[in-house]
């Protein structure tokens, strides 16, 4: 099983506030690493965040599918996995070639993934898995649910995820303001990431950085910060990579440097 944990390496391009196209980021060798990972081209499966948002799911899936075809991925079909197709989830997941889990609200998608028994079916699949933002976070054993605005400050911080690995990420990280999409009224680094990391590890990924998990190892690509025991450390630079060893996909990381 090969899993790409993305901050934002599939980039949506907007014109006057309307999503017009999707591009596959070449930064940190993402396009290259994805291309050499996908071996079969039966179907591209788009896993929704909100299972009831049919129109938005269709638009996003089709733009991604067009971007993949343009980059030389000869998929036979594009399948949107949401409320309309969840009855066929087993066959869709097990026969997927490339799977993309959409970003968005953590708990909304997590409930859907558990409802369709995603973990049970993905273990029987040969698909390459890509998850963006919430779609990546939800695949972990434990999900760190930091607030994005003042309304979410009382939400439960740690959720039980799908449990394909034990590694928590913070996507859209920004070293100046903490997060690209969080309210500027919140001091994300000092009030959340640092204190919440006591006894834990968070791998914070700016846009264009990502982690590949495969078998017993995890490889970081691009600028990355580690939050551990109340401290923040930069552990990788853009266009560089860092390999971490995993005992297995359900164990903590033990790196080749002290992390």
């Amino acid at each position: 099983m090969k899993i790409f944990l993305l901050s934002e390496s599939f980039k949506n391009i907007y014109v006057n506030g309307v999503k017009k196209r999707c591009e596959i980021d070449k930064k940190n060798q993402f396009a290259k690493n994805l291309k050499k990972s996908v071996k079969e081209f039966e179907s591209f499966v788009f896993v929704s965040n909100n299972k009831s948002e049919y129109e938005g799911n269709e638009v996003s899936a089709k733009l991604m599918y067009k971007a993949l075809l343009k980059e030389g991925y000869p998929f036979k079909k594009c399948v949107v996995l949401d409320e309309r197709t969840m009855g066929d989830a087993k066959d869709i997941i097990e026969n997927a070639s490339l799977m993309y889990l959409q970003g968005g609200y953590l708990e909304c998608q997590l409930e859907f993934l558990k409802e369709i028994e995603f973990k049970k079916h993905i273990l029987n699949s040969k698909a390459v898995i890509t998850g963006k933002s919430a779609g990546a976070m939800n695949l972990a054993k434990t999900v760190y649910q930091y607030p994005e605005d003042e309304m979410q400050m009382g939400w439960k911080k740690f959720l039980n995820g799908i449990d394909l690995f034990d590694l928590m990420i913070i996507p859209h990280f920004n070293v100046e303001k903490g997060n690209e999409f969080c309210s500027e009224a919140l001091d994300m680094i000092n009030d959340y990431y640092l204190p919440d990391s006591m006894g834990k590890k968070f791998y914070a990924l700016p846009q264009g950085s990502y982690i590949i998990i495969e078998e017993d190892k995890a490889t970081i690509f691009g600028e990355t910060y580690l939050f551990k025991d109340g401290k923040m450390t930069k552990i990788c630079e853009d266009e560089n990579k860092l390999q971490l060893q995993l005992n297995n996909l359900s164990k903590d990381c033990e790196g080749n440097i002290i992390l």
Side-chain angles (χ1 to χ4, degrees):
M1 182 186 299
K2 195 166 192 175
I3 306 172
F4 286 73
L5 308 179
L6 314 176
S7 180
E8 189 165 26
S9 296
F10 286 103
K11 301 189 296 183
N12 292 316
I13 308 301
Y14 292 82
V15 178
N16 297 324
V18 179
K19 192 185 297 184
K20 289 294 185 179
R21 68 181 190 276
C22 176
E23 294 181 354
I24 302 174
D25 200 349
K26 293 179 172 57
K27 185 177 180 180
N28 293 310
Q29 303 182 62
F30 173 68
K32 178 181 178 181
N33 285 332
L34 183 67
K35 192 67 175 287
K36 70 182 183 182
S37 299
V38 181
K39 307 296 185 184
E40 299 178 357
F41 301 95
E42 179 60 32
S43 65
F44 165 65
V45 176
F46 180 95
V47 182
S48 64
N49 183 279
N50 185 335
K51 66 181 181 181
S52 302
E53 199 173 291
Y54 307 148
E55 184 177 352
N57 293 338
E58 289 289 345
V59 169
S60 295
K62 287 178 180 178
L63 291 177
M64 288 193 67
Y65 187 51
K66 287 176 65 175
L68 288 163
L69 293 177
K70 182 179 178 181
E71 291 295 325
Y73 294 81
F75 291 111
K76 295 178 183 177
K77 58 184 177 180
C78 173
V79 180
V80 178
L81 184 49
D82 60 17
E83 192 172 47
R84 298 166 297 176
T85 55
M86 60 187 294
D88 298 318
K90 179 180 185 296
D91 288 339
I92 291 172
I93 295 169
E94 290 184 356
N95 292 298
S97 303
L98 174 63
M99 183 168 295
Y100 171 82
L101 281 77
Q102 187 182 29
Y105 290 106
L106 285 166
E107 291 189 89
C108 180
Q109 185 184 62
L110 189 53
E111 180 180 344
F112 177 56
L113 294 176
K114 291 180 178 179
E115 188 175 6
I116 62 175
E117 298 184 290
F118 181 84
K119 181 178 181 180
K120 175 182 177 181
H121 303 319
I122 198 62
L123 293 177
N124 294 320
S125 175
K126 295 181 180 179
V128 173
I129 306 167
T130 61
K132 172 182 170 179
S133 190
M137 298 164 77
N138 278 329
L139 295 175
K141 179 178 182 179
T142 304
V143 181
Y144 174 43
Q145 184 175 226
Y146 54 82
E148 295 187 354
D149 56 42
E150 295 88 335
M151 297 296 292
Q152 299 176 358
M153 289 170 63
W155 286 15
K156 186 177 180 181
K157 287 184 179 180
F158 296 98
L159 309 173
N160 293 322
I162 297 303
D163 193 16
L164 295 182
F165 51 84
D166 194 0
L167 184 155
M168 289 183 281
I169 69 166
I170 298 172
H172 316 303
F173 181 70
N174 182 299
V175 73
E176 284 82 26
K177 59 182 182 179
N179 198 291
E180 295 287 345
F181 299 117
C182 290
S183 169
E184 293 186 2
L186 301 180
D187 186 345
M188 298 304 302
I189 292 177
N190 293 303
D191 290 344
Y192 294 94
Y193 303 157
L194 289 172
D196 291 344
S197 71
M198 296 303 297
K200 298 178 176 62
K201 299 176 186 176
F202 305 141
Y203 293 87
L205 306 173
Q207 307 293 65
S209 296
Y210 60 99
I211 299 173
I212 297 178
I213 293 181
E214 186 175 20
E215 296 178 356
D216 63 345
K217 65 178 184 286
T219 307
I220 294 170
F221 289 84
E223 182 181 359
T224 302
Y225 297 79
L226 174 69
F227 286 86
K228 177 184 176 184
D229 294 331
K231 296 180 180 180
M232 181 179 80
T233 307
K234 190 175 188 179
I235 59 173
C236 195
E237 300 280 356
D238 262 341
E239 303 307 330
N240 288 337
K241 64 181 181 179
L242 172 68
Q243 185 169 304
L244 309 173
Q245 293 299 317
L246 297 169
N247 292 329
N248 58 55
L249 288 180
S250 295
K251 300 282 184 159
D252 285 327
C253 286
E254 296 179 358
N256 55 0
I257 61 175
I258 299 174
L259 297 181

